[in-house]
Amino acid sequence: GEEPSREAWGVAPTSDLMAPAPTEVDVSNVVASWNIIEGVGVTTVAGVLIKHMVSLAPGIIAIVPPEVRARYQECTEMDEEVDGQELWHSMGLRRLFAKMLNAVGCSV
């Protein structure tokens, strides 16, 4: 059979999802923001991001168990078992989030 339309699924038409092109001011603000992130340190910003995400969505802890965090640790680092309130202290998790932030930063 034929696939249902976007509207049948309750999804807006593609044209409604298109954002206006960024202005020069928008681009300048994004570049300035990224420069601030680099100045502070991507890993440091990643820790702050994790702290806020855990406070907003405590369930995020389930998708980053110790074995996932361990993949992003240095051999000399050993994360102590941290609870959800102190998850941002995990260097492995901070490095994982820093990789995601860097991927965004590469587009800036």
Side-chain angles (χ1 to χ4, degrees), residues 68-108:
V68 171
R69 297 191 306 262
R71 290 185 219 154
Y72 295 92
Q73 289 178 211
E74 299 289 328
C75 293
T76 58
E77 298 169 346
M78 295 304 292
D79 277 352
E80 294 179 21
E81 192 60 34
V82 292
D83 65 21
Q85 299 304 312
E86 298 186 7
L87 195 60
W88 67 90
H89 290 298
S90 166
M91 279 307 295
L93 188 58
R94 289 171 72 170
R95 281 200 182 91
L96 173 61
F97 272 65
K99 284 182 176 282
M100 291 185 280
L101 283 172
N102 275 317
V104 172
C106 287
S107 68
V108 172

Side-chain angles (χ1 to χ4, degrees), residues 18-24 26-27:
M18 300 294 289
T23 65
E24 286 184 35
D26 294 334
V27 172

Side-chain angles (χ1 to χ4, degrees), residues 20-88:
T23 65
E24 286 184 35
V25 172
D26 294 334
V27 172
S28 177
N29 288 339
V30 169
V31 170
S33 296
W34 182 249
N35 289 336
I36 292 169
I37 289 171
E38 285 184 315
V40 170
V42 177
T43 305
T44 300
V45 174
V48 173
L49 180 62
I50 294 162
K51 182 177 180 178
H52 288 289
M53 288 183 69
V54 168
S55 71
L56 293 171
I60 195 171
I61 297 164
I63 63 171
V64 285
E67 58 271 15
V68 171
R69 297 191 306 262
R71 290 185 219 154
Y72 295 92
Q73 289 178 211
E74 299 289 328
C75 293
T76 58
E77 298 169 346
M78 295 304 292
D79 277 352
E80 294 179 21
E81 192 60 34
V82 292
D83 65 21
Q85 299 304 312
E86 298 186 7
L87 195 60
W88 67 90

